[in-house]
């Protein structure tokens, strides 16, 4: 698959598949009572998979290593903030806020920092999707004072997502190997959170992981696969479009929140989801 130069439709299909996987692993993490244990297991699994991958893939070019190092640090910051958001807030609100802030930030960074201008139709699609994501985030009303710490963590998560998206979207184009870049990025960042958890919990961490290790490790495999697909798509398509399509995982998360966590869907959430799908259609029509 990696040797084929796909069209825009194939790239979009890959990103949408990644969006579904991303929503699923996040729901699995949120569904585990101890969020630190959840994210520790997720990172253990992704580190193990990455260790195997580095043995089977080419070494990235030297120009890619600063990007891999920066991405690893940003990914750790992202996970810490996301973990905190899930500790403080509800899945149905924190996930949309965290994911919904990044498409516009990526579009702005892509134009201002990377000097990659977007066609007007792509800008329109990104804006429509972002409006739909904002609607999903605020469907239950404007957060009150008690929710501000959770909201701050979610917004910080969104900023981290935007930053590592730009870093990886640039770095993978300097790497000479998409799979090698993905493998080394996950291998560099994967052990950090488990080490933090070990320092905080000690040997008791092992006992706390045993009852949920299957769910946590499965979430880790899905996490690596989901982001690996996104990085592959970033090597083929423009960053802002890929970022906007990726955040359609919020629609999947809204359905998971309703069906699994028994959260209310409501007219506003449905309208916002339709808006997101409209934005996807605009992006797809732009490539016809």
């Amino acid at each position: 698959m990696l040797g084929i130069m796909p069209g825009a439709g194939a790239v979009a299909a890959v990103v949408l598949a990644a969006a579904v996987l991303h929503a699923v692993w996040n729901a699995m993490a949120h569904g585990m009572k101890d969020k630190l244990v959840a994210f520790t297991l997720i990172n253990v699994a992704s580190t193990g998979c990455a260790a195997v991958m580095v043995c089977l893939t080419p070494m990235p070019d030297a120009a890619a290593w600063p990007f891999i190092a920066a991405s690893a640090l940003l990914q750790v910051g992202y996970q810490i903030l996301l973990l905190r958001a899930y500790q403080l807030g509800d899945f149905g609100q924190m996930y949309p806020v965290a994911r919904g802030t990044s498409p516009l930030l990526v579009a702005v960074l892509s134009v201002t920092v990377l000097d990659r201008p977007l066609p007007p139709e792509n800008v329109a699609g990104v804006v429509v999707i972002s409006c739909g994501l904002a609607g999903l985030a605020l469907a239950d009303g404007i957060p009150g004072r008690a929710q501000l710490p959770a909201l701050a963590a979610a917004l910080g998560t969104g900023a981290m997502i935007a930053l590592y998206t730009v870093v990886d979207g640039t770095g993978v184009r300097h790497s000479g190997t998409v799979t090698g870049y993905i493998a080394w990025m996950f291998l560099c960042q994967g052990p950090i959170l488990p080490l933090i958890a070990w320092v905080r919990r000690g040997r008791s961490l092992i006992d706390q992981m045993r009852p949920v290790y299957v769910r946590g490790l499965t979430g880790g495999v899905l996490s690596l696969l989901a982001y690996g697909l996104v990085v592959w798509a970033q090597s083929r398509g423009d960053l802002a479009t890929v970022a906007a399509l990726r955040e359609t995982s919020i629609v999947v998360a809204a359905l998971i929140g309703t069906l699994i966590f028994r959260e209310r869907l409501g007219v506003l959430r449905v309208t916002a989801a339709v808006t997101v799908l409209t934005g996807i259609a605009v992006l797809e029509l732009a490539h016809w």
Side-chain angles (χ1 to χ4, degrees):
M1 181 178 69
L2 296 177
I4 299 174
M5 288 301 293
V11 172
V14 167
V15 178
L16 292 174
V20 173
L21 293 174
H22 194 279
V24 170
W25 83 253
N26 271 264
M28 294 174 70
H30 186 272
M32 296 170 66
K33 185 176 181 180
D34 191 325
K35 303 300 187 290
L36 182 58
V37 167
F39 278 83
T40 297
L41 285 167
I42 286 168
N43 278 271
V44 167
S46 61
T47 301
C49 292
V52 174
M53 288 176 63
V54 299
C55 298
L56 304 175
T57 57
M59 182 74 71
D61 293 342
W65 284 99
F67 296 96
I68 291 173
S71 177
L73 293 176
L74 290 169
Q75 290 273 0
V76 172
Y78 150 75
Q79 291 195 56
I80 291 173
L81 287 169
L82 182 62
L83 186 158
R84 188 59 177 162
Y86 283 168
Q87 287 175 330
L88 297 173
D90 295 330
F91 179 72
Q93 187 172 48
M94 292 301 101
Y95 189 89
V97 171
R99 304 306 307 185
T101 55
S102 66
L104 282 179
L105 289 175
V106 170
V108 170
L109 291 172
S110 183
V111 173
T112 59
V113 177
L114 302 180
D115 194 25
R116 297 178 184 173
L118 295 176
E121 57 271 22
N122 282 25
V123 173
V126 170
V127 170
V128 171
I129 289 176
S130 297
C131 289
L133 298 179
L136 280 170
L138 301 175
D140 294 331
I142 299 175
R145 184 182 296 272
Q147 296 171 293
L148 290 181
L151 181 61
L155 290 172
T157 302
M160 289 291 179
I161 293 168
L163 290 171
Y164 73 61
T165 295
V166 173
V167 168
D168 287 335
T170 306
V172 72
R173 295 169 190 252
H174 290 81
S175 68
T177 166
V178 176
T179 52
Y181 183 95
I182 294 166
W184 280 100
M185 186 271 290
F186 271 95
L187 187 62
C188 289
Q189 64 97 3
I192 296 177
L193 195 60
L195 286 174
I196 293 173
W198 181 264
V199 170
R200 292 187 59 182
R201 302 278 182 92
R203 289 185 175 275
S204 64
L205 182 66
I206 303 298
D207 294 330
Q208 294 161 0
M209 290 192 297
R210 283 198 183 100
V212 291
Y213 78 93
V214 173
R215 193 190 316 175
L217 294 177
T218 301
V221 174
L222 295 181
S223 171
L224 186 148
L225 179 58
Y227 197 62
L229 291 175
V230 167
V231 173
W232 177 84
Q234 288 172 339
S235 71
R236 266 70 175 175
D238 68 86
L239 296 185
T241 301
V242 170
L245 285 174
R246 182 183 63 187
E247 306 314 343
T248 57
S249 60
I250 293 179
V251 178
V252 181
L255 294 175
I256 292 175
T258 300
L259 298 175
I260 305 299
F261 298 127
R262 303 302 180 186
E263 298 172 354
R264 184 175 62 86
L265 187 59
V267 175
L268 289 177
R269 287 185 185 272
V270 172
T271 302
V274 171
T275 303
V276 171
L277 296 177
T278 302
I280 295 173
V282 171
L283 286 178
E284 282 302 290
L285 288 172
H287 293 289
W288 287 5

